[in-house]
Amino acid sequence: MELHILEHRVRVLSLARPGLWLYTHPLIKLLFLPRRSRCKFFSLTETPEDYTLMVDEEGFKELPPSEFLQVAEATWLVLNVSSHSGAAVQAAGVTKIARSVIAPLAEHHVSVLMLSTYQTDFILVREQDLSVVIHTLAQEFDIYREGPAPRSIPSRAQRTVSVSSRWTLRRCQPSPPPSLMSSSIHTVPLRRQPPVVLDPAPSPSLLSPSLRATSPLSWMLKRRKNECGIVAQIAGPLAAADISAYYISTFNFDHALVPEDGIGSVIKVLQHRQEGLGS
């Protein structure tokens, strides 16, 4: 498999809901007018608590500082995993990523943020952890550092690949008509039913058989400052059970979206994990 270190240097921000009005213009510009911005990586996620923004350096310049905007200290790099299928390169899928990337990094105390999209999955790591990431994963992956002059990281890889992509959850033309912009503004935020809240060491009562699934079902884990391995605690057991999931990290929480029709298997897997922690 191949691990691509994309050229984006990303900042993670929390926008308080009362301050959304102050950022309406730059957000519309970043979402729908890419030709007027040099931003190449942008993600907006709405939660009941706030709006989480993940933007590259150019996008970050578009957002004026204010009391409503909280910025994480670290700069994050974006990783993308792909595997060969014949002559084509395909996204590896979260299950493979959990087993081959997230778990090994957690063992080496490297924090990650996950961002699942319709087409692929991105892993964000702190820029300061890049050397540990490469050392940890070099034996299993062909690693490529992309940019204006793409190059391979010393490993088993002997060739370089340049990828220039703009990924979005909802794709539209670069300059959509006003009618499309008006309707899309209301549909882009990720809305979901109230999720089940799990601590990194969740209480067994939260995993009781009486748990009812919502649609879509979302597990939400509180991320404590400087804590690592949060995504791995859920992604690892689900991947081992071959249960598909999407993962979305926000400023304060990590969300795992699992198939509603497989909720019984999910609960059983997480109960087994909890029992293992208690023994």
Side-chain angles (χ1 to χ4, degrees):
M1 290 195 294
E2 296 179 352
L3 178 71
H4 294 262
I5 306 170
L6 307 187
E7 61 181 310
H8 317 297
R9 301 179 71 246
V10 173
R11 304 303 300 271
V12 179
L13 309 91
S14 172
L15 174 59
R17 301 180 72 88
L20 180 61
W21 65 272
L22 185 61
Y23 294 88
T24 301
H25 180 267
L27 289 179
I28 290 176
K29 180 179 178 180
L30 291 171
L31 275 169
F32 299 111
L33 303 173
R35 294 179 182 176
R36 299 187 182 182
S37 171
R38 298 175 63 184
C39 179
K40 296 182 179 179
F41 190 96
F42 173 78
S43 170
L44 169 64
T45 303
E46 179 190 11
T47 69
E49 297 78 25
D50 61 0
Y51 297 92
T52 292
L53 306 174
M54 297 183 182
V55 294
D56 63 16
E57 292 177 307
E58 293 298 329
F60 183 62
K61 295 176 183 177
E62 303 279 354
L63 304 172
S66 76
E67 60 180 317
F68 302 107
L69 196 65
Q70 185 178 356
V71 184
E73 296 179 0
T75 297
W76 298 78
L77 299 179
V78 184
L79 312 180
N80 182 236
V81 177
S82 60
S83 61
H84 287 284
S85 178
V89 176
Q90 299 181 343
V94 176
T95 299
K96 289 185 178 179
I97 291 174
R99 293 172 176 170
S100 58
V101 179
I102 299 175
L105 292 182
E107 292 176 359
H108 287 79
H109 307 289
V110 175
S111 296
V112 304
L113 301 178
M114 281 291 299
L115 183 62
S116 294
T117 69
Y118 188 84
Q119 295 171 305
T120 191
D121 298 282
F122 297 105
I123 308 163
L124 279 70
V125 299
R126 290 188 177 94
E127 189 173 41
Q128 66 194 46
D129 293 331
L130 182 60
S131 60
V132 179
V133 171
I134 293 174
H135 176 76
T136 302
L137 304 178
Q139 296 302 313
E140 298 295 331
F141 290 89
D142 297 333
I143 302 178
Y144 303 93
R145 184 72 184 266
E146 299 180 356
R151 60 187 177 87
S152 61
I153 302 297
S155 65
R156 296 180 292 111
Q158 297 297 324
R159 60 191 179 87
T160 60
V161 178
S162 178
V163 177
S164 178
S165 302
R166 183 181 180 87
W167 300 94
T168 57
L169 287 171
R170 179 180 292 270
R171 296 192 298 177
C172 58
Q173 295 298 322
S175 298
S179 59
L180 177 58
M181 290 177 62
S182 299
S183 60
S184 296
I185 290 173
H186 297 289
T187 58
V188 167
L190 177 64
R191 300 183 183 275
R192 46 184 166 270
Q193 300 295 326
V196 178
V197 181
L198 294 179
D199 238 18
S203 169
S205 62
L206 292 175
L207 302 179
S208 64
S210 62
L211 177 66
R212 294 184 179 273
T214 57
S215 179
L217 180 67
S218 169
W219 301 93
M220 185 171 69
L221 295 90
K222 175 68 175 179
R223 187 187 313 112
R224 296 191 176 98
K225 187 176 182 181
N226 298 324
E227 189 167 11
C228 64
I230 302 300
V231 175
Q233 292 182 50
I234 296 295
L238 295 185
D242 290 321
I243 297 175
S244 300
Y246 290 97
Y247 295 88
I248 300 177
S249 296
T250 61
F251 195 85
N252 292 308
F253 297 91
D254 290 296
H255 303 263
L257 281 70
V258 299
E260 185 177 23
D261 56 6
I263 181 58
S265 299
V266 171
I267 294 175
K268 185 179 297 184
V269 167
L270 297 180
Q271 281 181 327
H272 181 72
R273 170 193 173 274
Q274 180 64 20
E275 292 169 358
L277 291 176
S279 60

